[in-house]
Amino acid sequence: MTVSSLRETLVATGVEILDVDGATELTLREIARRAGVSHGAPRRYFPTHNSLLAAIASHGLRDLTDRLDPILAGKQPARSRLISAAIEYVSFAQERPAMFELMFRHDLLEGAGSNLRESSLPLFAALQSLTDEANASDPTTSALNIWTGTHGIAVLATNRSLTLVCPDLDIAALVTSTVTNHLPHTR
């Protein structure tokens, strides 16, 4: 196995563990065991556990970007694309909760060898561009409000807190309301 393919195998194995078994099983030893290598092998490619976690989180950010890019680049009005992207963002979180949580642990992963901001900042720039296109008077503030509101919904939906307080909640309608509340009502 080549260096790059073993590195990719370790990351892919970590992604699979995270998606199937959750973060508690995401140890260097378990990743190595499931990848079929010695428990010391990951250290040759990832000097720390956090550097491997950062590579796994980068993979998740690419997956999220792959899901959002077609929506963001679509031909629909900006408002419609913002709503669709926000709904997709929450869907991603609900489908892959452990990955979603890891992707936004910049506090844990900062300086760990993968530049997560390289993946996440373009997503925010696209959001900001769409809020500008939707004629928001302050696109940066609108984008921040939409993102933080949508992210909050994603976290609360993922940990089932929303269904606790409102069992019949239509999450897509809540996301739509959150997005539209931060855009001008003229478009």
Side-chain angles (χ1 to χ4, degrees):
M1 197 177 296
T2 67
V3 170
S4 92
S5 68
L6 179 53
R7 186 181 197 289
E8 291 167 12
T9 297
L10 292 168
V11 171
T13 302
V15 168
E16 181 181 339
I17 291 169
L18 189 61
D19 285 340
V20 173
D21 300 318
T24 58
E25 296 297 315
L26 198 59
T27 64
L28 284 174
R29 187 174 292 274
E30 184 60 16
I31 292 169
R33 186 186 73 73
R34 291 194 196 184
V37 297
S38 73
H39 71 271
R43 294 271 188 218
R44 290 187 218 130
Y45 308 101
F46 302 99
T48 66
H49 186 227
N50 282 357
S51 63
L52 178 52
L53 293 178
I56 293 166
S58 289
H59 188 281
L61 279 164
R62 282 191 304 278
D63 290 348
L64 177 61
T65 298
D66 289 347
R67 286 173 67 162
L68 294 178
D69 277 349
I71 297 167
L72 297 172
K75 300 295 183 203
Q76 301 81 11
R79 178 182 295 271
S80 297
R81 286 182 281 153
L82 283 164
I83 291 167
S84 295
I87 290 169
E88 187 64 30
Y89 185 89
V90 173
S91 294
F92 180 93
Q94 290 179 297
E95 292 166 20
R96 300 177 71 188
M99 177 61 80
F100 185 78
E101 181 180 355
L102 180 63
M103 287 167 25
F104 294 99
R105 289 300 311 268
H106 291 277
D107 61 323
L108 174 70
L109 303 176
E110 187 172 10
S114 265
N115 188 352
L116 296 178
R117 285 171 178 80
E118 186 178 289
S119 301
S120 58
L121 288 177
L123 283 173
F124 183 76
L127 174 61
Q128 189 175 8
S129 177
L130 277 178
T131 58
D132 187 36
E133 190 178 327
N135 292 328
S137 59
D138 181 353
T140 300
T141 300
S142 291
L144 281 169
N145 283 324
I146 290 168
W147 176 47
T148 57
T150 301
H151 190 83
I153 292 168
V155 169
L156 292 169
T158 298
N159 67 25
R160 296 184 300 280
S161 293
L162 288 176
T163 56
L164 177 66
V165 296
C166 193
D168 300 322
L169 178 66
D170 180 344
I171 292 176
L174 179 62
V175 171
T176 299
S177 171
T178 299
V179 171
T180 57
N181 284 339
H182 296 292
L183 295 173
H185 296 288
T186 58
R187 242 182 175 178

